[in-house]
Amino acid sequence: MTLMRKPIPVAEAVQRVMQFPRLKEAEAVKLEESTGRVLAQDIYTTHPVPWFTRSPYDGYAICAASTEQAGEGSPVWLQVLGTVAAGDVWRGCVERGQAVKIMTGGAMPDGADAVIMRELTREEERDGALYVQIKRKVKTGENISRIGEDMEEGELLLRQGTMINAGTVAQLATFGYAEVPVFRKPVVAVIATGSELLDPSEPLAPGKIRNSNGYMLLSQVLRSGAEPLYIGKVQDTLGETLAAVKKALEQADLVLTTGGVSVGDFDYIPAVYQELGAQPLFNKIGMRPGSVTSAAERNGKLLFGLSGNPSACYVGFELFARPVIRAMMGMKRPYSQRVQAELQEDFTKPNPFDRFVRGKLSFSGGRLYAAPSGKDKSNIVSSLAEANCLIVLPGGTRGWEAGSMVDVLLLDDQEGTGQWR
Amino acid sequence: MTLMRKPIPVAEAVQRVMQFPRLKEAEAVKLEESTGRVLAQDIYTTHPVPWFTRSPYDGYAICAASTEQAGEGSPVWLQVLGTVAAGDVWRGCVERGQAVKIMTGGAMPDGADAVIMRELTREEERDGALYVQIKRKVKTGENISRIGEDMEEGELLLRQGTMINAGTVAQLATFGYAEVPVFRKPVVAVIATGSELLDPSEPLAPGKIRNSNGYMLLSQVLRSGAEPLYIGKVQDTLGETLAAVKKALEQADLVLTTGGVSVGDFDYIPAVYQELGAQPLFNKIGMRPGSVTSAAERNGKLLFGLSGNPSACYVGFELFARPVIRAMMGMKRPYSQRVQAELQEDFTKPNPFDRFVRGKLSFSGGRLYAAPSGKDKSNIVSSLAEANCLIVLPGGTRGWEAGSMVDVLLLDDQEGTGQWR
């Protein structure tokens, strides 16, 4: 099959695939299983915080007026009626000359309008009754957390599209969200094409190599937040490849293949797209590695034809599939965050194409540095392990020298950004 | 119960708990389930890469000697014997005047010692035989990937203690690690103490609030890489608290409680430690928030008594429990990475204690910036949601002004560091 291959810029390729992500439906998950999921609706406070007047300290709930005459040399003694612990409610009223011992978080008894901290008092028992000594004047309202002081009822707490972390879990718990509305995780199918591929469990055989890209993609899908579905490896035949892609389309929201997109005699992905009647979005991108990265759309589902070359496959996923997946998950900021960093190694050879070099971002003295993570030879897997960013080297007539400021796409970051750049 | 509380510095508290982490035993997990796990042994390459001589391009495998006379004006024609695809082995020998069409990754046929790229050739059929035209001299060894060119057999590939990511999964797959030796995940029990606590599913009741810390901790345990086990919430009684902690000690490798560590009348954690015969490690730290953070050790298992205050609980977990958990997981770099960033807001009030302010780290123009993530009032949960770092403000006689360089502990980072500072 001969194919017209017209390279398009990376930004355009991103834009073409980002037309298609369909938001997944909402589902309810238990709060304790919601970490890493994305909120499917805005969340509002369901009550004020605090929702009752309470003491922020261990101390004594009193009427401030009882201490009007109190001073260092003229202590007042208030009768301690009892104790209100956190979670308790004092059934009774505090009057002048009286006090109720109160624990941090305890509800203020009726009648009391101030708290004096325990450290400033002294208790004494007399004639079977308990008294507390106070040596200073306390103001009305002192040491009281008032209803709604921190938040009002009905305030917007969290926006739809927020990824849930430990902090948001605390907020959801506070307001009684035992179940949380989240978007369903997209199911992302992975198919590795290539007659040369062995499963990792298979012994080596002449001419064969292990399928590493398929497993790498499963892990990249996990990092993106979606649910990976491994369809398997297929021989380089149109029939087998087509059958696998069809199966994947039935079971998944998005289909990733690796391999079979080049111009070799056994590269069947373009033919598979044609057989399926999928609309091609691109089959060549002005970038290295990954220039043969392809994408097509069928009934709103995207098919990504990633390169069979490990680093090209890796980069192709991060640049094109990840933002689509994160948009499907409902994230408002689906793109990888792009930051600036000082390049730590020379790339002196000019390259007409935009290059994406797997790199390691590091910090020193308040500044960001990026170094390529190992030899960036496209057929070496070892450089992938330490990578936590992609260094962006725009194509042009000059190389890049150590010390230059370059753009870097963050891979481990969860925050993301709302625009490709 | 009266308790001597002697504050110790944060670094000393960290050091005290870091004596105890016990490495978990190794277990084998499937490669596709190994992401986020920690390697329990060094991993070596099991074969050279490539492990057979292969072609890096689509082209023709030839004897270089066949092209000795080739030039722009004097093309040579070689007979094409057939095609070797990736995964195939050519059964036969290539001699002078012959060629075998070869696909990227295909094994070099016997006799062939060079590959000419397809783009530089032209095929033609004559009298039922296929010929390829070559117009340039090809050198012996040209365009051949040699055995061991990228890696030798027996090279150290990944170190024990490495956290597995997409790149390492690819490496493990390449070398046939269908199962991966990893350390068992520590099981971390979470108990929320407090008679005032309601489950998120329970309706509000007078004097009560929802248990947010327990659920927050479950999420923090997940982020640390361990397996959370929710024991539940308990009333503020010695009996109930003790029973829950005993249960947790039976089922878990590490026990976290939140609440009950202050000096209130219903703070039973110190008494629980005493009842259990646990060795106290500290019960007061010179820091804010979280000064009452406590820890004890019993038969090599650690018990952390985190504050009931949400931000103190959060900070206490990240500073003390997380490095312990990550050391138990076998990570060589269990501490949160500490970087420098420019403070974006004033903290002008001097504070004698080290402060840890939940913050948001951001990047601009190649520099790091840190801002407190919302109001840092300790009883407000809202500031926790955006936090991706802890801003470290050492105690002293002066405040901190916007523009100062401060240390920041990274919370989402997986890389970590080998030393507390």
Side-chain angles (χ1 to χ4, degrees):
Chain A
M1 177 182 188
T2 310
L3 197 73
M4 280 298 297
R5 294 206 181 235
K6 193 171 174 295
I8 61 169
V10 174
E12 188 176 336
V14 170
Q15 195 197 324
R16 286 191 191 178
V17 294
M18 285 298 280
Q19 302 167 63
F20 292 102
R22 279 188 198 160
L23 202 57
K24 295 298 104 190
E25 62 276 15
E27 62 184 13
V29 295
K30 287 186 187 163
L31 178 59
E32 56 269 41
E33 291 162 10
S34 67
T35 297
R37 303 298 295 270
V38 178
L39 281 174
Q41 56 187 61
D42 290 343
I43 298 288
Y44 292 86
T45 60
T46 53
H47 56 72
V49 177
W51 77 277
F52 54 89
T53 308
R54 68 187 179 198
S55 172
Y57 302 112
D58 290 339
Y60 295 85
I62 59 171
C63 307
S66 307
T67 64
E68 262 169 16
Q69 311 300 326
E72 194 54 43
S74 55
V76 298
W77 289 90
L78 309 183
Q79 189 182 358
V80 181
L81 304 176
T83 299
V84 59
D88 275 359
V89 175
W90 180 255
R91 315 219 170 268
C93 193
V94 176
E95 294 179 10
R96 272 182 85 139
Q98 298 180 327
V100 166
K101 195 169 176 181
I102 192 164
M103 302 293 138
T104 304
M108 286 294 287
D110 287 344
D113 59 10
V115 168
I116 181 153
M117 288 166 78
R118 188 183 196 168
E119 300 87 301
L120 303 174
T121 66
R122 185 163 73 80
E123 265 188 7
E124 207 172 285
E125 215 182 306
R126 273 187 254 148
D127 309 324
L130 196 64
Y131 293 86
V132 60
Q133 185 197 55
I134 299 176
K135 287 179 160 178
R136 47 162 288 213
K137 196 173 161 181
V138 178
K139 278 176 284 192
T140 301
E142 204 171 319
N143 294 330
I144 285 180
S145 298
R146 304 197 167 281
I147 293 175
E149 184 177 282
D150 297 337
M151 295 191 107
E152 298 291 340
E153 181 173 341
E155 271 188 50
L156 180 61
L157 186 67
L158 295 164
R159 285 198 182 280
Q160 189 202 65
T162 301
M163 186 176 271
I164 297 170
N165 63 19
T168 39
V169 163
Q171 293 179 298
L172 290 163
T174 298
F175 294 103
Y177 291 90
E179 296 215 313
V180 186
V182 297
F183 290 111
R184 178 169 71 73
K185 283 187 189 185
V187 176
V188 179
V190 173
I191 300 167
T193 75
S195 301
E196 77 279 21
L197 298 181
L198 298 168
D199 271 329
S201 59
E202 293 179 277
L204 288 182
K208 313 275 186 188
I209 57 169
R210 301 289 186 2
N211 165 24
S212 59
N213 286 358
Y215 289 85
M216 180 179 77
L217 283 172
L218 295 176
S219 186
Q220 288 179 285
V221 170
L222 274 179
R223 175 165 61 186
S224 75
E227 192 173 317
L229 173 68
Y230 187 46
I231 301 289
K233 63 181 170 66
V234 297
Q235 299 283 313
D236 284 321
T237 68
L238 179 57
E240 202 171 309
T241 311
L242 181 61
V245 173
K246 275 185 177 169
K247 184 179 166 193
L249 278 169
E250 278 163 25
Q251 299 184 18
D253 300 302
L254 188 76
V255 180
L256 307 177
T257 55
T258 164
V261 282
S262 198
V263 292
D265 288 359
F266 303 95
D267 289 321
Y268 287 110
I269 293 298
V272 165
Y273 290 170
Q274 196 171 49
E275 285 282 325
L276 289 168
Q279 177 201 346
L281 299 175
F282 51 80
N283 56 25
K284 193 150 185 102
I285 303 176
M287 64 183 260
R288 294 288 183 277
S291 64
V292 295
T293 307
S294 302
E297 173 265 335
R298 181 167 175 275
N299 299 338
K301 279 189 189 173
L302 284 174
L303 301 117
F304 284 92
L306 303 171
S307 168
N309 164 307
S311 59
C313 179
Y314 187 96
V315 168
F317 176 88
E318 297 297 336
L319 290 183
F320 307 110
R322 182 181 153 116
V324 165
I325 288 169
R326 288 169 90 84
M328 290 170 93
M329 289 171 66
M331 297 191 68
K332 302 280 189 231
R333 304 163 64 87
Y335 300 103
S336 293
Q337 216 183 136
R338 184 187 282 249
V339 304
Q340 285 185 287
E342 186 180 319
L343 189 63
Q344 290 181 289
E345 277 186 33
D346 287 342
F347 286 82
T348 45
K349 201 175 156 193
N351 196 310
F353 299 102
D354 291 354
R355 290 186 66 188
F356 294 86
V357 181
R358 289 146 304 152
K360 193 165 173 325
L361 189 72
S362 59
F363 310 108
S364 179
R367 298 182 59 79
L368 286 81
Y369 295 89
S373 53
K375 298 176 276 186
D376 199 57
K377 285 183 70 170
S378 56
N379 55 343
I380 297 182
V381 288
S382 57
S383 56
L384 297 173
E386 284 204 318
N388 61 8
C389 70
L390 294 178
I391 302 171
V392 185
L393 301 176
T397 51
R398 68 180 188 93
W400 295 86
E401 286 182 2
S404 315
M405 290 303 283
V406 292
D407 279 6
V408 156
L409 295 166
L410 305 185
L411 298 180
D412 282 335
D413 166 68
Q414 288 301 338
E415 196 183 330
T417 179
Q419 290 182 312
W420 160 245
R421 67 159 315 156
Chain B
M1 177 182 186
T2 310
L3 196 73
M4 280 297 297
R5 296 206 179 235
K6 192 171 174 295
I8 61 169
V10 174
E12 188 177 335
V14 170
Q15 195 197 324
R16 286 191 191 178
V17 294
M18 285 299 278
Q19 302 168 62
F20 293 102
R22 279 187 198 160
L23 202 58
K24 295 298 105 191
E25 62 277 13
E27 63 184 12
V29 296
K30 287 186 188 164
L31 179 58
E32 56 269 41
E33 291 162 10
S34 67
T35 297
R37 302 298 295 271
V38 178
L39 281 173
Q41 56 187 61
D42 291 343
I43 298 288
Y44 292 86
T45 59
T46 53
H47 57 71
V49 176
W51 76 278
F52 55 87
T53 310
R54 67 188 179 197
S55 172
Y57 301 113
D58 290 338
Y60 295 85
I62 59 171
C63 306
S66 307
T67 64
E68 262 169 17
Q69 309 301 326
E72 193 54 43
S74 55
V76 297
W77 288 91
L78 307 183
Q79 189 182 357
V80 180
L81 304 176
T83 299
V84 58
D88 276 359
V89 176
W90 179 254
R91 314 218 172 268
C93 193
V94 175
E95 293 178 10
R96 274 184 81 139
Q98 299 181 328
V100 166
K101 195 169 176 181
I102 193 165
M103 301 293 136
T104 304
M108 284 294 286
D110 287 344
D113 60 10
V115 167
I116 181 153
M117 288 166 78
R118 189 183 194 166
E119 300 88 300
L120 304 174
T121 66
R122 183 164 74 81
E123 264 188 8
E124 206 172 285
E125 213 181 308
R126 272 187 256 148
D127 308 328
L130 197 63
Y131 292 86
V132 60
Q133 186 198 54
I134 299 176
K135 288 180 160 177
R136 48 162 286 212
K137 196 173 158 179
V138 178
K139 276 177 284 188
T140 301
E142 204 171 320
N143 293 331
I144 285 181
S145 298
R146 303 197 166 282
I147 293 175
E149 184 178 283
D150 297 338
M151 295 190 108
E152 298 292 340
E153 180 173 342
E155 272 188 49
L156 180 62
L157 185 67
L158 295 164
R159 286 198 181 280
Q160 189 202 65
T162 301
M163 186 175 270
I164 297 171
N165 63 19
T168 40
V169 163
Q171 294 178 298
L172 291 162
T174 298
F175 295 102
Y177 291 91
E179 297 215 311
V180 187
V182 297
F183 290 111
R184 178 170 70 74
K185 283 187 188 185
V187 176
V188 179
V190 173
I191 300 166
T193 75
S195 301
E196 76 279 22
L197 298 181
L198 298 168
D199 272 329
S201 58
E202 293 179 275
L204 288 182
K208 313 275 186 189
I209 57 170
R210 299 298 187 353
N211 165 23
S212 60
N213 286 358
Y215 290 85
M216 180 179 76
L217 283 172
L218 295 176
S219 185
Q220 288 178 284
V221 170
L222 274 180
R223 175 165 62 186
S224 75
E227 192 173 317
L229 173 68
Y230 187 46
I231 302 288
K233 62 181 170 66
V234 297
Q235 299 283 313
D236 284 322
T237 68
L238 178 57
E240 202 171 311
T241 311
L242 182 61
V245 173
K246 276 186 177 167
K247 184 180 166 194
L249 278 169
E250 278 163 25
Q251 299 184 18
D253 300 302
L254 188 76
V255 180
L256 307 177
T257 54
T258 164
V261 282
S262 199
V263 293
D265 289 358
F266 302 96
D267 289 322
Y268 286 111
I269 292 299
V272 165
Y273 291 170
Q274 198 170 48
E275 286 281 324
L276 289 168
Q279 177 200 347
L281 300 175
F282 51 80
N283 58 25
K284 193 152 184 101
I285 303 176
M287 64 183 261
R288 294 288 184 277
S291 65
V292 294
T293 307
S294 302
E297 173 266 334
R298 182 168 175 274
N299 298 337
K301 279 188 188 174
L302 285 174
L303 301 117
F304 285 92
L306 303 171
S307 169
N309 165 306
S311 59
C313 179
Y314 187 95
V315 167
F317 176 89
E318 297 298 335
L319 288 183
F320 307 110
R322 181 181 154 117
V324 165
I325 289 169
R326 287 170 90 85
M328 290 170 94
M329 290 171 66
M331 297 191 69
K332 302 279 188 229
R333 303 163 64 85
Y335 300 103
S336 294
Q337 217 183 136
R338 184 188 281 251
V339 305
Q340 285 185 285
E342 186 180 318
L343 189 63
Q344 290 182 289
E345 277 186 33
D346 287 341
F347 286 81
T348 45
K349 200 175 157 194
N351 198 309
F353 300 102
D354 291 353
R355 290 185 66 187
F356 294 87
V357 182
R358 289 145 304 151
K360 194 164 172 321
L361 188 72
S362 60
F363 309 108
S364 178
R367 298 181 60 80
L368 286 81
Y369 295 89
S373 52
K375 299 176 274 185
D376 198 58
K377 285 182 70 170
S378 56
N379 55 344
I380 298 181
V381 287
S382 57
S383 55
L384 297 173
E386 284 204 318
N388 60 9
C389 70
L390 293 178
I391 302 171
V392 185
L393 301 175
T397 52
R398 68 179 188 93
W400 296 87
E401 286 182 1
S404 314
M405 290 303 283
V406 291
D407 280 4
V408 156
L409 295 165
L410 305 185
L411 298 180
D412 283 335
D413 166 67
Q414 288 302 336
E415 195 183 331
T417 179
Q419 290 182 310
W420 161 246
R421 67 160 316 156

